Amino acid sequence: MASSSAGNNSQVPRVRHFDLIDGMQLEINISGSAGKHNTRIEFKLKNCTRTWILHWGFLFRGNKNWFIAADDSSGGKSYKHGALQSQFTKHGQIHVVIIELRDPNVHAVEFVLKDGPHDRWLKLNHGNFRIEIPASDAPIPHSSTPKELAEHKADSPWDTKGRPVISPQPQKQGNNTLREILNRLSKGISLNEPRNSYAAGNTKAVNGNGDQVRSGMQYSYKRKYNNVEEWLQRHSGEHPKRSHESTSALVDLIETFVGGTDLISWQRYYVHNYEILVFSKIINGDYHIFVASNTKGTTILHWGVSKSSPCEWSVPPTDIWPENSKQVSGACQSYFMDKFIGNGSFQVIDVNLQKRNFVGIQFVIWTGGFWIKNSGKNFFAELKRNNPTERFSQDLKELVVWLLHEIAQREKEAERSLMHRFNIATELTERCKSEGGLGLIGILVWLRFMACRHLTWNKNYNVKPREISEAQDRFTCVLQKIYLNQPSDREIVRMIMACVGRGGPGDVGQRIRDEILLIQRNYDCRTGMMEEWHQKLHNNSSPDDIIICEALIHYVRCGFRINVYWETLNANGLTREKLASYDRPIVSEPDFRSDFRDDLIRDLTAYLKTLKAVHAGVDLESAIDVCLSSSFKDGTVEKAIKHRSAAGLPSNLLESLNFVKARFGDINIGPLMEKLLESRILLRPILLTSHGRSKDLLFLDISLDSAVRTTMERGLKNLNFAYIPEALFFFSLMLENLCLSTVNNEDFIYCTKDWYHVCESFKSGDSQWALQTKAILDRLQLVLAERSQHYQKSIQPSAQYLGKLLGVQKWAIDIFTEELIRSGCSAILSILINRFDPILRKVSNLGCWQVISPVEASGFVTSVHELMKIRNKVYKRPTVIVASRISGEEEIPDGVVAVLTTDTPDVLSHISIRARNSKVCFATCFDKNTFQDLKSKEGKAISIKIKSTNLVISDVISTFLSHKSIGFHSIPRGVTIKKKTFCGNYAVSVEEFTGEKVGAKSCNIKLLLSARIPSWIKIPMSLALAFGSFETALQDKLNKDAADRIHSLCQLVDRGDHSKLGAIHEAILKMHAPPYLTNELKRKMRSSRLAWLGDEGEDKWSCAWQAIKKVWASKWNERAFLSCQKAKLNHDDICMAVLIQEVICGDYAFVIHTKNPISGDPTEIYAEIVKGLGESLVGAYPGRAMTFTVKKTNLKSPTVTGYPSKLTGLYSKKSIIFRSDSNAEDLGGFSGAGLFDSVIMDEVDKVVLDYSRDPIIVDKAFQTSLLSRIAEAGKIIEALYGCPQDIEGVVKAGIIFVVQARPQI
């Protein structure tokens, strides 16, 4: 039996007391509220001598059943799936259990107590104890009085220790603290200052105690959203054209002069204003070395041959001397010849080594009264007898090869010291400005190889720290100017700056030398390890010194334990061997006097800041201090805030930086992450303008960006994805961070806006909300994948090329771009997506699979990266293809019974339709672990069963599978086509459409126009080019050459040379329009109320004629040709009519299947909708369309089954579309849909899609109305034809247009 009492300060008591048996007492404290998702209940048992267990569950309002938390924080164990049991933990004289609740719908907690050793239960009056949850937080005063501040400060040490129950809350300090505050106020200090200082000072969180509040528990995840569209950065994805004067004019001239074939090797140099190109080439079996330059006037090559070694210089034999040569002491001198090509000129000399087995030649050049050398040394032209390389001009389109070669040539100089390296980097960066982003990528690759220790930092050269600092300062100032003036290259600039130290004026570096001397003097350590380190610091300081200093601090702080010193060094890549390899080796171990401990920690910590100020570009604390140091000697944020100014920075930025600096180690990362983002947002407009501290502010922003990543990484282990508001909160922060860091960030901007919408509309357990949120994650995954591919394409070639030149290990080259991507915030966002996606799938009732073609199958697993790579393969046994990527342009290979992918083709895309028609299982896997498990079954036999909307996959014994089980569904039997003949007219109007003149698309349009469909369903104006128009036009005398060419190519294709299909395509595009065709088409278009294309000028008709030829030529597309071949169709019998329609420039495009193609339910309509033109849907553009189903008996209640994740919408101005309309489409047993091309006359615009304001997403009434009308149109057209239909249409300003309909296959 137990009795209770309650506190009386509110309707729902926050403190409850119960008198239990044997003198025990139970006290319950409730903090937070259900409304704020932050309820914390603390149970305290007093006078307890045995182990007790809390047996509990929570109640939802109006429900008497117990529920248990999925993410219990009390360490409880599930009891028969109906309750949780949490054991009380002893703390001093009391026993404690803490429960944290985040679901706002929890109304109360009920419990009983169990005596563990005696297995007996303690109840309240024979029933459960019950604790109701307050609906709102207890009222908090708006402003603290001095007395309240005093109490807060007195509480701070207790709070810092985690409010341990074994320590009573201190109270005696309150009066002393109150007097201290009143004294400060009497001196004129505002009340805000002590309040802020005490708030900022109480920042340390307790780690590792089971009763501590979890990350985020006491933090509200409501936040104000930013106008992220203001951060939009649209810049050309193409690299700027290079300067033809300084970088490629000579290359172009030389290539024209000698041609680009049979090249053996080539090199490019820049010396002062001269460009020198050296290449070797085979001519008539002889080896020639050409030296060309942009010099003027008399120019002499002073040269010798290297017979067996590159270092050798010998007088060349006279029979290989060029014209106008003479011998001087130990060398040959040959005069350059002037060459003029077009409007350009250059000087060149040709050294014919004939067939001699020389290594190469060494040379210098004399011109204008002085010698041109290669960094003070001879040039060396190597004669490599290997396979000819690609043309160097082609290489230059992908790489800045001259830059990479010069970097490699100057690496020996660069490795002398960091000063040399950064001076060279400054020079090369200035010279390659005209190369745009590709030039900066070369610099990035070089310096990242350096930063990752793949290159030597110092070798046989002594350099002062101030000289290194000054060299870094010059280099980073150049980068900052590029950042400001070349917006499209800002991402690359940020990556480079993250690899290097900040540097600064000489006095910054000088402090490295001065301060180590003070430490040695003050702490009596002028010998041993400290003297060795001192010598290194004086002569070749580097970023390694930061690690050494940190190791010393840890060593001293941990009681001079030498193992801690070595653990710190080794963890950061510094071994004994590495320390001993320095020019000034460190071979001793540290040894300090123990009585210096505290002072030594203080001074080494200060010295660490000095080292970071020079060598650490992305160290946040250092970056903050440096930005403020120009205005205040101590560089402290607090002083800057007090004076409300630091280098012109706004006070709210300074306050954010103060918070960040004070709270950087917090376990509760929510407030810190918000302030990191707030600081970046406030910095953004300053970075885009010229500012006295621009470089330091840019380093600060890069440091904040890096801190967002590291903080999120640190907080991942505590992030509770099951508590959805917490996940939404951190997602929004990471998205904002990417928006701020990324060039061409339109996708990220629009995803962030969508994310704000789902944050505001969140409802627990709402499946529609979960579907919409999952669509945003799907889109983000596509964006991240595209950006990763962009980096691989733009950066990895330079890494491969330069890495080989520098001798970097292959493994480091191969993972270069991958590791670069992983070092950014996009990698963390990808982790968040992977963890949150399963939760959303569960809420939205989605399994691991989306079944596109519901066919059961069995076969042997074959894993491929791209389905396109195996499209022509024939498998001899039943095969299940596991493919990471599907473009939508593929044909499913023969023998394949299933295609399983992580890609997301639309259910109504052409490849999906062909899979269903071929009876091939086709499905998308959303779970990476499941997909990885499938890939691991390579070569094994599996069975695929359909269960509801999911796949059930199991292993089978391979002997049970035989060739009979293939079925070869992809090779239809008995499909034939009838060859059509020309009807005598090129153009036919809708009224003249018949099956002998045009294909099924055109005939169906005629039926729609002649039928009595409701007036609200519109049909676009149409006409067609009849069957046989192509063949007849080809026979015209204007096209005799094209006809002969096409005929000969077709013969080669018939004999199996499929490589000639592209040539046929090109030959068709060279056809001329017969006048009769042009005149007839003009007449029919005008009579069909379509404007004649030539009325807008000949250019328009040329575009139209080109589009018509592309449709005709698509008969010879590889995919179409092979598909027909597999179906045993006679390719010669295929005839191509062309349906001509006006383009409806609509808001949305849709495809309807009036019989659900997934479930096979004839009573249910399935449809997909995209923004813009329908080609982004049927053409398998990345991302998913919006999907819905609706019962034909209840069209007013559509159910959205998927929200859109398409990245791009296609839009066109008023134009004409030419649709393929062959006799090989809509055949029973053969899906010709999508095999042949439809072409819009005018080029379409690709637009990055913004769904955040689209009414079909955000306006439920508009959504329901539009989907219902689309479904109603489908039902009407199905009734007209009498069978299930595949319908394509457009919605423009609320009006529905049907552009084509065909029987659903």
Side-chain angles (χ1 to χ4, degrees):
M1 185 72 68
S3 63
S4 70
S5 63
N8 56 6
N9 70 343
S10 65
Q11 292 181 347
V12 178
R14 291 184 172 272
V15 181
R16 300 287 300 274
H17 296 277
F18 298 90
D19 294 322
L20 308 177
I21 61 174
D22 300 330
M24 284 196 308
Q25 293 180 330
L26 173 64
E27 178 183 320
I28 302 174
N29 295 288
I30 307 171
S31 61
S33 64
K36 291 289 182 65
H37 317 281
N38 64 349
T39 306
R40 183 176 190 265
I41 308 176
E42 186 177 47
F43 298 81
K44 297 180 182 179
L45 271 180
K46 302 177 181 178
N47 305 323
C48 171
T49 58
R50 292 189 297 274
T51 301
W52 287 83
I53 295 171
L54 186 76
H55 181 92
W56 65 283
F58 58 76
L59 303 178
F60 291 126
R61 191 175 297 278
N63 197 319
K64 296 182 179 180
N65 296 320
W66 282 19
F67 292 84
I68 61 176
D71 60 328
D72 172 46
S73 60
S74 68
K77 296 181 180 179
S78 176
Y79 180 80
K80 296 183 180 180
H81 304 290
L84 284 171
Q85 291 191 342
S86 306
Q87 184 170 312
F88 281 84
T89 304
K90 187 175 181 180
H91 289 272
Q93 300 302 313
I94 62 177
H95 293 69
V96 179
V97 168
I98 297 176
I99 294 175
E100 300 168 4
L101 301 175
R102 299 190 176 189
D103 193 325
N105 298 311
V106 174
H107 171 59
V109 170
E110 288 192 352
F111 66 93
V112 293
L113 297 173
K114 180 181 179 183
D115 184 350
H118 297 86
D119 197 24
R120 58 177 177 168
W121 300 86
L122 184 60
K123 300 184 178 183
L124 178 64
N125 299 323
H126 306 291
N128 298 330
F129 293 84
R130 180 185 177 95
I131 303 295
E132 293 191 359
I133 309 301
S136 59
D137 287 335
I140 299 174
H142 291 292
S143 61
S144 301
T145 65
K147 183 177 180 181
E148 290 164 342
L149 277 173
E151 292 172 351
H152 175 73
K153 186 181 179 186
D155 288 347
S156 293
W158 185 61
D159 284 329
T160 303
K161 296 176 183 177
R163 295 180 174 262
V165 293
I166 60 174
S167 301
Q169 181 175 347
Q171 296 176 350
K172 294 182 180 180
Q173 299 177 15
N175 293 334
N176 293 334
T177 306
L178 178 58
R179 283 194 294 270
E180 176 190 338
I181 293 174
L182 291 173
N183 182 49
R184 294 182 67 186
L185 291 175
S186 69
K187 296 179 180 179
I189 297 173
S190 72
L191 189 60
N192 286 329
E193 184 170 340
R195 182 184 300 129
N196 291 338
S197 65
Y198 297 151
N202 183 25
T203 60
K204 293 185 179 179
V206 177
N207 196 352
N209 294 329
D211 63 337
Q212 295 305 308
V213 179
R214 289 184 72 255
S215 168
M217 182 59 219
Q218 293 183 333
Y219 188 68
S220 171
Y221 293 109
K222 298 284 186 181
R223 61 188 298 263
K224 180 181 178 182
Y225 300 122
N226 295 288
N227 183 8
V228 291
E229 280 193 277
E230 293 181 349
W231 308 344
L232 192 62
Q233 298 184 60
R234 287 195 192 100
H235 300 290
S236 171
E238 300 296 325
H239 296 299
K241 293 182 179 179
R242 305 175 192 167
S243 166
H244 290 282
E245 292 299 323
S246 62
T247 59
S248 62
L250 180 61
V251 172
D252 293 340
L253 291 170
I254 294 299
E255 191 174 22
T256 304
F257 171 59
V258 298
T261 60
D262 298 324
L263 288 176
I264 301 173
S265 64
W266 75 280
Q267 293 171 294
R268 196 175 185 191
Y269 303 90
Y270 280 92
V271 182
H272 304 297
N273 295 323
Y274 297 113
E275 180 181 5
I276 300 164
L277 190 64
V278 182
F279 56 95
S280 54
K281 179 181 172 68
I282 300 173
I283 301 177
N284 297 326
D286 289 342
Y287 294 101
H288 291 249
I289 290 180
F290 291 86
V291 181
S293 72
N294 60 352
T295 50
K296 304 290 184 182
T298 301
T299 305
I300 298 173
L301 186 77
H302 183 90
W303 63 288
V305 295
S306 301
K307 295 181 178 179
S308 58
S309 167
C311 299
E312 181 185 358
W313 179 304
S314 301
V315 178
T318 56
D319 61 332
I320 67 170
W321 290 6
E323 294 182 18
N324 298 323
S325 297
K326 65 180 180 180
Q327 183 173 339
V328 295
S329 178
C332 177
Q333 289 190 345
S334 305
Y335 287 80
F336 280 75
M337 297 177 61
D338 291 319
K339 291 292 180 182
F340 299 90
I341 297 178
N343 295 325
S345 67
F346 61 95
Q347 292 188 321
V348 68
I349 197 162
D350 176 6
V351 178
N352 183 359
L353 298 179
Q354 300 172 11
K355 295 179 174 59
R356 284 179 167 82
N357 191 28
F358 292 157
V359 176
I361 68 171
Q362 288 201 58
F363 66 91
V364 293
I365 297 172
W366 186 91
T367 186
F370 65 92
W371 293 99
I372 301 175
K373 296 184 178 183
N374 181 21
S375 300
K377 300 178 181 179
N378 299 331
F379 294 94
F380 176 67
E382 186 174 8
L383 185 65
K384 295 180 180 177
R385 288 172 176 78
N386 51 15
N387 292 329
T389 61
E390 295 181 2
R391 298 169 65 187
F392 50 77
S393 61
Q394 180 64 34
D395 286 339
L396 281 171
K397 294 177 182 177
E398 302 168 1
L399 312 164
V400 185
V401 179
W402 73 262
L403 172 65
L404 303 183
H405 274 277
E406 181 148 354
I407 288 172
Q409 289 156 11
R410 300 184 68 174
E411 177 57 27
K412 281 201 171 185
E413 179 187 0
E415 68 183 17
R416 297 174 74 187
S417 74
L418 292 178
M419 178 194 72
H420 289 82
R421 188 175 299 280
F422 290 121
N423 283 339
I424 295 170
T426 302
E427 176 196 338
L428 295 180
T429 302
E430 290 279 15
R431 280 172 45 191
C432 73
K433 280 183 178 178
S434 57
E435 302 285 2
L438 282 177
L440 289 171
I441 285 171
I443 301 294
L444 166 67
V445 171
W446 181 39
L447 294 181
R448 188 168 173 83
F449 278 144
M450 178 271 296
C452 295
R453 293 193 175 88
H454 300 305
L455 304 177
T456 302
W457 288 359
N458 185 273
K459 189 173 183 180
N460 301 325
Y461 195 90
N462 295 336
V463 62
K464 299 172 184 176
R466 65 177 178 83
E467 294 172 327
I468 296 174
S469 181
E470 288 169 344
Q472 288 175 314
D473 186 46
R474 285 191 296 271
F475 177 54
T476 51
C477 283
V478 168
L479 291 175
Q480 189 278 324
K481 291 176 183 176
I482 294 173
Y483 183 89
L484 189 61
N485 298 323
Q486 297 175 206
S488 61
D489 296 324
R490 284 176 180 159
E491 275 185 69
I492 302 299
V493 170
R494 294 173 70 92
M495 291 178 187
I496 297 172
M497 294 182 75
C499 296
V500 301
R502 179 183 299 102
D507 62 319
V508 176
Q510 184 62 31
R511 288 203 296 268
I512 291 177
R513 300 187 74 177
D514 297 343
E515 292 175 15
I516 190 64
L517 290 171
L518 289 174
I519 291 174
Q520 286 187 282
R521 185 192 67 189
N522 293 340
Y523 299 102
D524 192 20
C525 52
R526 299 181 183 180
T527 60
M529 178 268 167
M530 287 299 287
E531 176 57 23
E532 292 167 356
W533 187 34
H534 160 232
Q535 291 299 321
K536 178 193 180 302
L537 289 163
H538 271 229
N539 295 285
N540 44 58
S541 181
S542 71
D544 283 353
D545 294 316
I546 294 175
I547 301 169
I548 294 170
C549 191
E550 288 175 337
L552 289 172
I553 293 170
H554 294 166
Y555 159 71
V556 176
R557 184 171 282 140
C558 293
F560 302 96
R561 288 162 47 200
I562 197 64
N563 63 305
V564 173
Y565 170 76
W566 286 112
E567 286 170 3
T568 305
L569 292 175
N570 294 338
N572 290 277
L574 294 188
T575 61
R576 290 179 186 269
E577 294 74 21
K578 179 64 178 176
L579 295 180
S581 71
Y582 295 141
D583 282 357
R584 306 287 176 161
I586 300 175
V587 295
S588 304
E589 293 183 336
D591 183 19
F592 298 108
R593 284 170 45 182
S594 59
D595 55 328
F596 287 153
R597 179 184 180 277
D598 292 341
D599 291 340
L600 191 55
I601 290 173
R602 181 198 65 217
D603 287 353
L604 283 173
T605 301
Y607 189 57
L608 180 62
K609 291 184 178 181
T610 298
L611 291 169
K612 286 182 175 181
V614 175
H615 293 302
V618 293
D619 180 74
L620 183 57
E621 183 180 13
S622 174
I624 292 174
D625 288 343
V626 168
C627 282
L628 305 177
S629 62
S630 62
S631 295
F632 301 99
K633 291 181 180 180
D634 62 1
T636 60
V637 186
E638 292 84 357
K639 185 162 288 189
I641 292 173
K642 180 178 178 181
H643 290 267
R644 290 291 183 260
S645 173
L649 302 182
S651 59
N652 51 354
L653 172 58
L654 300 177
E655 289 167 358
S656 290
L657 294 175
N658 181 44
F659 185 97
V660 166
K661 192 173 178 182
R663 306 284 290 272
F664 194 63
D666 277 11
I667 292 177
N668 182 358
I669 66 170
L672 173 61
M673 289 281 287
E674 275 201 295
K675 288 299 182 181
L676 286 168
L677 263 297
E678 181 181 315
S679 300
R680 293 202 66 198
I681 292 166
L682 293 169
L683 265 177
R684 181 182 174 274
I686 305 172
L687 291 175
L688 302 181
T689 59
S690 183
H691 187 279
R693 304 282 291 178
S694 291
K695 187 189 77 170
D696 292 334
L697 294 176
L698 180 53
F699 267 116
L700 174 60
D701 187 60
I702 296 170
S703 302
L704 290 165
D705 183 17
S706 177
V708 170
R709 175 181 62 83
T710 55
T711 303
M712 193 70 253
E713 283 177 338
R714 177 165 57 84
L716 276 176
K717 63 180 180 295
N718 293 322
L719 186 55
N720 179 16
F721 287 91
Y723 180 52
I724 289 178
E726 184 174 339
L728 295 176
F729 170 81
F730 285 109
F731 260 103
S732 66
L733 293 172
M734 294 303 295
L735 283 170
E736 289 175 0
N737 194 62
L738 275 172
C739 291
L740 290 167
S741 302
T742 308
V743 175
N744 294 321
N745 58 359
E746 206 166 358
D747 273 307
F748 286 130
I749 293 288
Y750 296 151
C751 285
T752 304
K753 290 173 63 181
D754 287 338
W755 199 259
Y756 290 165
H757 175 71
V758 297
C759 288
E760 291 171 345
S761 61
F762 167 65
K763 294 180 182 178
S764 182
D766 185 345
S767 62
Q768 283 291 302
W769 176 91
L771 281 173
Q772 190 173 350
T773 306
K774 186 185 181 327
I776 303 172
L777 293 192
D778 291 343
R779 180 176 182 176
L780 279 171
Q781 284 183 310
L782 290 171
V783 175
L784 293 174
E786 283 199 350
R787 295 192 71 82
S788 176
Q789 292 166 18
H790 167 72
Y791 286 141
Q792 287 287 348
K793 183 179 178 181
S794 60
I795 297 176
Q796 190 61 24
S798 292
Q800 295 281 355
Y801 197 97
L802 182 59
K804 290 178 182 177
L805 291 176
L806 296 175
V808 176
Q809 294 184 30
K810 186 177 184 300
W811 66 266
I813 296 172
D814 292 343
I815 65 171
F816 182 90
T817 304
E818 181 183 343
E819 289 301 309
L820 188 65
I821 294 168
R822 286 185 180 182
S823 67
C825 280
S826 58
I828 304 300
L829 182 61
S830 182
I831 293 173
L832 292 176
I833 292 171
N834 291 336
R835 294 194 184 181
F836 196 31
D837 187 76
I839 293 168
L840 293 175
R841 289 205 312 268
K842 184 176 181 181
V843 175
S844 55
N845 301 312
L846 295 176
C848 293
W849 295 92
Q850 167 145 20
V851 181
I852 298 171
S853 175
V855 177
E856 296 189 346
S858 298
F860 296 89
V861 173
T862 295
S863 177
V864 299
H865 181 63
E866 297 180 13
L867 184 62
M868 181 68 77
K869 296 290 180 65
I870 59 165
R871 63 191 184 281
N872 298 331
K873 190 167 182 177
V874 175
Y875 290 91
K876 300 300 184 183
R877 62 180 186 175
T879 300
V880 176
I881 296 295
V882 179
S884 299
R885 294 192 62 191
I886 291 178
S887 71
E889 298 297 317
E890 308 91 341
E891 275 300 297
I892 297 174
D894 287 345
V896 171
V897 297
V899 176
L900 308 177
T901 181
T902 52
D903 224 329
T904 54
D906 292 300
V907 173
L908 300 186
S909 65
H910 290 317
I911 189 172
S912 302
I913 293 172
R914 290 196 296 275
R916 287 192 291 271
N917 187 52
S918 300
K919 301 297 186 290
V920 172
C921 178
F922 192 18
T924 293
C925 180
F926 294 121
D927 188 280
K928 288 191 174 182
N929 292 330
T930 301
F931 192 72
Q932 195 62 38
D933 182 60
L934 268 175
K935 292 173 72 174
S936 70
K937 297 180 183 295
E938 179 76 27
K940 297 180 180 179
I942 62 170
S943 168
I944 303 172
K945 301 292 184 184
I946 308 297
K947 184 177 181 181
S948 183
T949 59
N950 255 322
L951 297 185
V952 177
I953 297 175
S954 57
D955 296 335
V956 297
I957 300 174
S958 59
T959 53
F960 290 168
L961 294 178
S962 66
H963 293 291
K964 292 181 181 179
S965 62
I966 281 185
F968 286 100
H969 298 301
S970 57
I971 305 179
R973 304 298 181 185
V975 179
T976 59
I977 54 175
K978 178 183 176 182
K979 188 170 184 176
K980 304 294 184 178
T981 57
F982 186 53
C983 65
N985 294 313
Y986 284 106
V988 290
S989 61
V990 170
E991 296 77 16
E992 299 168 314
F993 287 177
T994 68
E996 293 302 314
K997 295 180 180 180
V998 293
K1001 287 180 187 175
S1002 301
C1003 290
N1004 290 339
I1005 288 292
K1006 179 181 180 179
L1007 180 58
L1008 286 173
L1009 287 169
S1010 60
R1012 293 183 177 179
I1013 59 175
S1015 59
W1016 57 269
I1017 301 176
K1018 307 295 182 183
I1019 311 297
M1021 292 177 285
S1022 309
L1023 73 154
L1025 289 174
F1027 288 135
S1029 295
F1030 164 69
E1031 292 79 3
T1032 305
L1034 188 61
Q1035 292 170 7
D1036 192 275
K1037 60 183 180 180
L1038 291 173
N1039 295 312
K1040 184 179 185 306
D1041 291 343
D1044 293 342
R1045 171 83 171 146
I1046 292 168
H1047 176 72
S1048 62
L1049 290 169
C1050 285
Q1051 288 182 324
L1052 294 173
V1053 170
D1054 291 341
R1055 290 198 289 267
D1057 187 0
H1058 296 164
S1059 66
K1060 297 298 186 290
L1061 289 169
I1064 295 174
H1065 196 280
E1066 292 176 5
I1068 292 172
L1069 296 183
K1070 294 179 180 178
M1071 287 175 58
H1072 301 285
Y1076 192 71
L1077 181 152
T1078 305
N1079 294 331
E1080 195 172 321
L1081 184 59
K1082 181 191 298 185
R1083 186 171 63 255
K1084 288 291 184 181
M1085 288 189 73
R1086 286 174 172 168
S1087 65
S1088 300
R1089 292 179 294 165
L1090 284 170
W1092 166 238
L1093 303 168
D1095 291 343
E1096 298 182 44
E1098 282 302 313
D1099 288 346
K1100 276 293 183 185
W1101 165 240
S1102 296
C1103 291
W1105 174 238
Q1106 197 71 3
I1108 291 168
K1109 290 185 290 184
K1110 286 179 180 179
V1111 176
W1112 285 341
S1114 68
K1115 174 181 172 179
W1116 283 272
N1117 284 348
E1118 184 181 42
R1119 178 164 50 91
F1121 182 86
L1122 294 177
S1123 181
C1124 294
Q1125 190 178 59
K1126 291 173 186 176
K1128 312 300 183 187
L1129 296 176
N1130 185 348
H1131 191 260
D1132 289 340
D1133 290 342
I1134 296 175
C1135 295
M1136 187 72 70
V1138 181
L1139 174 61
I1140 303 172
Q1141 292 181 313
E1142 63 175 335
V1143 173
I1144 307 299
C1145 310
D1147 305 309
Y1148 309 101
F1150 60 82
V1151 176
I1152 307 170
H1153 276 200
T1154 58
K1155 173 184 175 182
N1156 190 319
I1158 300 174
S1159 65
D1161 185 352
T1163 68
E1164 187 173 67
I1165 291 171
Y1166 177 93
E1168 296 185 339
I1169 307 171
V1170 295
K1171 295 184 70 172
L1173 298 173
E1175 181 56 26
S1176 66
L1177 194 162
V1178 298
Y1181 277 66
R1184 281 273 172 84
M1186 186 176 191
T1187 61
F1188 73 93
T1189 60
V1190 62
K1191 289 292 185 180
K1192 294 174 184 175
T1193 55
N1194 189 15
L1195 295 177
K1196 298 297 183 183
S1197 300
T1199 300
V1200 176
T1201 56
Y1203 284 85
S1205 60
K1206 292 283 185 188
L1207 306 180
T1208 305
L1210 304 179
Y1211 291 86
S1212 171
K1213 58 186 177 182
K1214 186 176 181 181
S1215 187
I1216 299 293
I1217 186 169
F1218 300 88
R1219 299 183 185 274
S1220 59
D1221 193 21
S1222 76
N1223 60 340
E1225 299 180 53
D1226 303 331
L1227 302 175
F1230 174 70
S1231 176
L1235 289 180
F1236 309 107
D1237 293 343
S1238 296
V1239 182
I1240 295 177
M1241 178 180 67
D1242 296 289
E1243 188 173 349
V1244 299
D1245 294 324
K1246 292 184 178 180
V1247 177
V1248 179
L1249 293 174
D1250 180 4
Y1251 298 105
S1252 62
R1253 298 192 189 98
D1254 198 303
I1256 204 170
I1257 305 296
V1258 301
D1259 186 334
K1260 186 66 176 177
F1262 175 90
Q1263 178 191 96
T1264 301
S1265 173
L1266 179 59
L1267 302 190
S1268 297
R1269 287 191 296 122
I1270 289 172
E1272 185 179 358
K1275 182 179 179 182
I1276 290 169
I1277 291 171
E1278 180 188 56
L1280 172 65
Y1281 286 100
C1283 64
Q1285 292 291 298
D1286 174 354
I1287 303 163
E1288 295 181 25
V1290 175
V1291 179
K1292 181 179 181 180
I1295 301 173
I1296 291 178
F1297 292 80
V1298 173
V1299 299
Q1300 67 179 55
R1302 61 172 66 140
Q1304 181 179 331
I1305 299 175

